[in-house]
Amino acid sequence: MKFTKRAMLKGAATALALGFATTAMAQDKTKVGFVYVGPVGDGGWTYEHDQGRKAVEAHFGDKVETTYVENVPEGADAERVITQMALQGADLIFTTSFGYMDPTINVAKKFPDVKFEHATGYKTAQNVSVYSARFYEGRAIQGTIAGHMTESNIIGYIASFPIPEVIRGINSAYIHAKKVNPDVQFKIVWAYTWFDPAKEADAAKVLIEQGADVILQHTDSTAPQAAAVGAGNVYTFGQASDMAEFAPMPRISSIIDNWAPYYIARTQAVMDGTWKSTSTWDGIGPGMVGIGEISDVVPAEVKADALALKDAIANGDYHPFTGPLKKQDGSDWLADGQTADDGTLAGMNFYVEGIEGEIPQ
Amino acid sequence: MDFSSISPALLLASLMVAATPILLAGIGELVVERAGVLNLGVEGMMITGAICGFAITINTGSPTLGFVAAAAGGALLSLLFALLTQFALANQVASGLALTLFGLGLSSLLGQDYVGLKPAQTPDLHIPLLSDLPFLGTVLFSHDFMVYFGLALVAAVWAVLKYSRAGLILRAVGENHDAAHALGYKVVRIRVLAIMFGGACAGLGGAYISLIRVPQWTEGMTAGAGWIALALVVFASWKPWRVLLGAYLFGGVTVLQLNLQAAGLAIPVEYLSMSPYLITILVLVIMSADRSRAPGSLGRIFHASG
């Protein structure tokens, strides 16, 4: 009951929003549409995509017209929203959640002249590019700080959906926490949502009650941060956005998604007629992944350690998945000094050795 | 797997917190539906209450005033629904859905300046002796006042509906509005009051999320709680105590499944994740085998001349 009604509602809402948003456009403008999974005010994932959209507007001024639809459920509704955008003359459409992958591909088939950009997916077509950021590089730094900071040696992890992007993050954080703290243990809770503040807060409270004193999150709202404030001595990290309003405690650092340069470059390519289907996967080096300021609560040597790691990753000296590494079942994955290839990372569906629990299938 | 890390006292205590928003919204909607009106705008009224309560708490520093404002905000929004359905005789389903859309939009407009702020904390009550009891003290007697308010409200609604003349009239209006009208009861006035009561309760439920459970303001933060409250009323066969049971079951299993996940239980997470919905529906459906049914005039438009 809940899902169908909500979906219906949102479908209606999006239809309304589109109807109002795109009237009276000048024909010579490049029209860029954005489809968001959460509200632009989530303070995390969607907020940063919307910052990217605003950067496009600021950069091109009168030459572009941007529209967006927020709170679009992943699934059939997404297809309707994307179709609607294409029908209303968008030249370039960014679909910014993993679950929009098949809807994007389906709509792209019907509109060969419209360019599509799908975030965090892996299916491309002649008019569909994919782009994502190497968030796992940031997770390596988080894991390092978390491993140092935990006193109970229990790190709580609020995961969203069991997709490769999330699993990569868990593995990367675990490997680097373990490296600095061999006794560390991860407790992982799957929330099955990208955005549900009440549920995210509940998950954070449960993890704290079960002894975690560092909480990592892969969901989009700041609710876990607020829960950590309530609990007192708990550390968190900003997710997708800096979440600086929770610094210096509980938020001690963050992973910041910086989409603006990419969005500007792709819009420019459409204007110039040079747009081609590409697969972009950039990390700390090119600036797509930023590390928010490490607050003073973190001891200076830990901070230095984390920043050194950041530099090593940025200039390519170090890959967060470097052997020797084994899979959870004890089988060999990477030999000493060997680094993971992008194909394996993109489809990652296993935990590394030492993580307890199973990945939901 | 390590179940010793789950504290039963904390688990039961957080159950009550997790259940309170849907309990408040559910008991309000129950009264509305017993009066024969189907208001699908619960989600919209909840989120409006969430931002009204949050904004007033930020500005005055008093959570109590915040909750009062939340109730007022929810009731005010529900008046719009009352206007549409009771005076303009619009379709209740469509008006309710519109109310949800409107509430979501209005709340994000009102909430723009409140993102990232922290509200004044609502203190947990400390009841001498009772709160110090070893196990029960943590579970039952150290909550914020809204948890007890929710329980008291259920008891009050039950007693009023069952034993008072006002409750009898309200039920008569819900069962057969033409007969109630023929007897001289003011059908429209009673329904408007019921709708406002439902709106106030939904507003309180929303504010409970933004002021206590999370506590912060985020757009769309009720994330479907209103729809769960609506479903709860149906599965509870329009009976107050069953709404309480359903809310506690839903809240309880939600918290329990998160605990079990964190403890590493070897049940696939998908099953754990759907368990709150399944178990709540299952239990309430089995209980409703006693031929209970919806109020006779539920969702029907009343016109005095008809």
Side-chain angles (χ1 to χ4, degrees):
Chain A
M1 173 157 185
K2 175 190 168 200
F3 292 109
T4 50
K5 273 189 180 156
R6 282 188 73 196
M8 200 167 81
L9 269 178
K10 282 180 175 165
T14 46
L16 275 174
L18 275 171
F20 290 125
T22 51
T23 43
M25 278 187 184
Q27 275 310 307
D28 51 342
K29 287 181 177 178
T30 302
K31 291 166 200 164
V32 188
F34 294 80
V35 184
Y36 300 144
V37 72
V40 294
D42 69 351
W45 175 260
T46 296
Y47 173 80
E48 288 299 330
H49 283 287
D50 200 51
Q51 293 301 108
R53 178 188 69 82
K54 286 178 180 160
V56 169
E57 286 212 320
H59 184 84
F60 294 105
D62 288 345
K63 287 188 286 178
V64 294
E65 177 98 39
T66 70
T67 55
Y68 68 88
V69 181
E70 53 187 346
N71 283 321
V72 178
E74 299 181 328
D77 276 313
E79 199 162 323
R80 280 192 277 279
V81 171
I82 302 166
T83 304
Q84 193 66 22
M85 271 190 175
L87 280 176
Q88 287 179 329
D91 302 298
L92 174 64
I93 297 175
F94 293 94
T95 56
T96 66
S97 190
F98 181 79
Y100 300 154
M101 181 160 66
D102 289 333
T104 305
I105 296 288
N106 292 345
V107 179
K109 276 191 204 130
K110 290 182 238 159
F111 297 92
D113 296 335
V114 180
K115 314 297 184 208
F116 295 86
E117 300 260 354
H118 176 240
T120 69
Y122 52 81
K123 291 187 184 168
T124 56
Q126 204 174 5
N127 57 338
V128 182
S129 288
V130 291
Y131 64 101
S132 183
R134 295 179 186 269
F135 304 114
Y136 66 87
E137 296 184 352
R139 292 280 172 194
I141 294 154
Q142 270 188 4
T144 304
I145 301 174
H148 278 297
M149 296 301 284
T150 179
E151 281 172 19
S152 64
N153 291 332
I154 298 174
I155 293 172
Y157 204 112
I158 306 170
S160 44
F161 293 97
I163 59 173
E165 185 202 326
V166 177
I167 295 164
R168 271 198 306 275
I170 296 172
N171 281 330
S172 175
Y174 180 78
I175 290 167
H176 294 86
K178 186 94 176 168
K179 214 171 249 178
V180 298
N181 182 349
D183 296 326
V184 84
Q185 186 202 348
F186 267 39
K187 281 189 191 271
I188 301 161
V189 167
W190 296 92
Y192 277 90
T193 180
W194 289 114
F195 175 83
D196 182 345
K199 197 166 190 185
E200 293 170 50
D202 283 349
K205 283 178 202 160
V206 162
L207 289 165
I208 293 166
E209 279 166 15
Q210 295 204 17
D213 59 356
V214 181
I215 302 284
L216 308 185
Q217 66 176 100
H218 204 136
T219 49
D220 298 349
S221 91
T222 52
Q225 315 277 333
V229 173
N233 245 350
V234 174
Y235 303 112
T236 60
F237 294 85
Q239 162 65 9
S241 188
D242 198 23
M243 302 189 180
E245 64 270 27
F246 291 95
M249 268 287 276
R251 171 223 163 273
I252 48 177
S253 182
S254 60
I255 294 177
I256 306 171
D257 308 348
N258 182 12
W259 305 110
Y262 183 77
Y263 286 172
I264 290 170
R266 300 305 282 175
T267 308
Q268 186 70 56
V270 168
M271 287 175 173
D272 300 346
T274 57
W275 191 96
K276 278 196 189 69
S277 172
T278 53
S279 298
T280 304
W281 203 16
D282 283 346
I284 294 177
M288 202 179 252
V289 175
I291 300 298
E293 200 201 352
I294 300 172
S295 73
D296 293 339
V297 182
V298 179
E301 65 270 21
V302 174
K303 186 172 176 177
D305 204 8
L307 289 177
L309 182 67
K310 177 187 165 190
D311 291 340
I313 292 173
N315 61 29
D317 290 344
Y318 175 73
H319 190 292
F321 291 103
T322 303
L325 283 174
K326 289 186 176 185
K327 295 185 182 179
Q328 188 185 34
D329 58 15
S331 61
D332 290 322
W333 177 31
L334 296 173
D336 198 357
Q338 192 188 353
T339 57
D341 62 277
D342 279 0
T344 312
L345 289 181
M348 188 175 256
N349 60 356
F350 56 87
Y351 283 148
V352 294
E353 189 180 36
I355 299 181
E356 287 164 28
E358 278 174 42
I359 300 171
Q361 293 302 327
Chain B
M1 208 186 307
D2 177 20
F3 294 120
S4 60
S5 59
I6 302 179
S7 151
L10 287 177
L11 176 69
L12 291 171
S14 42
L15 171 165
M16 297 180 77
V17 172
T20 299
I22 48 175
L23 175 65
L24 286 166
I27 200 71
E29 177 67 12
L30 179 136
V31 170
V32 179
E33 293 192 13
R34 287 299 279 267
V37 179
L38 181 65
N39 185 354
L40 296 181
V42 181
E43 179 85 2
M45 301 185 298
M46 278 186 93
I47 192 81
T48 306
I51 184 57
C52 289
F54 191 85
I56 296 299
T57 304
I58 290 286
N59 289 323
T60 64
S62 159
T64 314
L65 282 180
F67 277 109
V68 172
L76 202 63
L77 190 67
S78 72
L79 262 185
L80 187 65
F81 175 83
L83 200 69
L84 286 171
T85 59
Q86 301 306 309
F87 298 103
L89 305 186
N91 178 295
Q92 294 183 3
V93 172
S95 308
L97 293 174
L99 195 69
T100 289
L101 292 180
F102 180 66
L104 287 169
L106 180 71
S107 62
S108 48
L109 179 71
L110 292 174
Q112 281 182 347
D113 295 334
Y114 293 95
V115 174
L117 299 179
K118 297 180 192 88
Q121 216 188 345
T122 311
D124 286 343
L125 298 182
H126 189 88
I127 310 160
L129 292 178
L130 285 180
S131 299
D132 302 324
L133 290 174
F135 181 77
L136 288 177
T138 316
V139 177
L140 293 178
F141 300 114
S142 45
H143 290 291
D144 51 87
F145 70 95
M146 285 306 290
V147 168
Y148 304 109
F149 179 80
L151 289 172
L153 198 65
V154 173
V157 165
W158 169 76
V160 166
L161 283 180
K162 196 168 169 74
Y163 295 114
S164 80
R165 186 173 167 75
L168 209 59
I169 295 172
L170 184 114
R171 277 158 53 200
V173 167
E175 287 299 335
N176 190 332
H177 50 216
D178 294 323
H181 177 66
L183 286 171
Y185 295 123
K186 308 281 185 204
V187 173
V188 170
R189 186 187 301 166
I190 290 163
R191 285 190 170 164
V192 169
L193 288 174
I195 291 168
M196 286 178 70
F197 177 79
C201 289
L204 288 176
Y208 193 83
I209 297 179
S210 67
L211 288 177
I212 297 177
R213 191 162 165 213
V214 174
Q216 65 174 7
W217 167 250
T218 312
E219 263 179 52
M221 68 181 306
T222 46
W227 296 112
I228 293 171
L230 266 168
L232 212 56
V233 175
V234 176
F235 287 116
S237 329
W238 296 270
K239 293 195 166 84
W241 293 113
R242 291 192 192 174
V243 170
L244 178 76
L245 174 77
Y248 274 32
L249 260 178
F250 188 83
V253 184
T254 302
V255 178
L256 179 68
Q257 68 97 359
L258 291 172
N259 266 288
L260 290 177
Q261 278 199 43
L265 181 74
I267 292 180
V269 177
E270 301 89 323
Y271 296 115
L272 288 174
S273 205
M274 67 170 96
S275 59
Y277 305 91
L278 275 183
I279 293 175
T280 309
I281 291 174
L282 203 65
V283 169
L284 292 175
V285 163
I286 290 171
M287 286 189 65
S288 66
D290 60 353
R291 286 180 298 147
S292 32
R293 56 169 190 83
S297 295
L298 183 61
R300 284 173 45 207
I301 292 174
F302 171 75
H303 192 265
S305 66

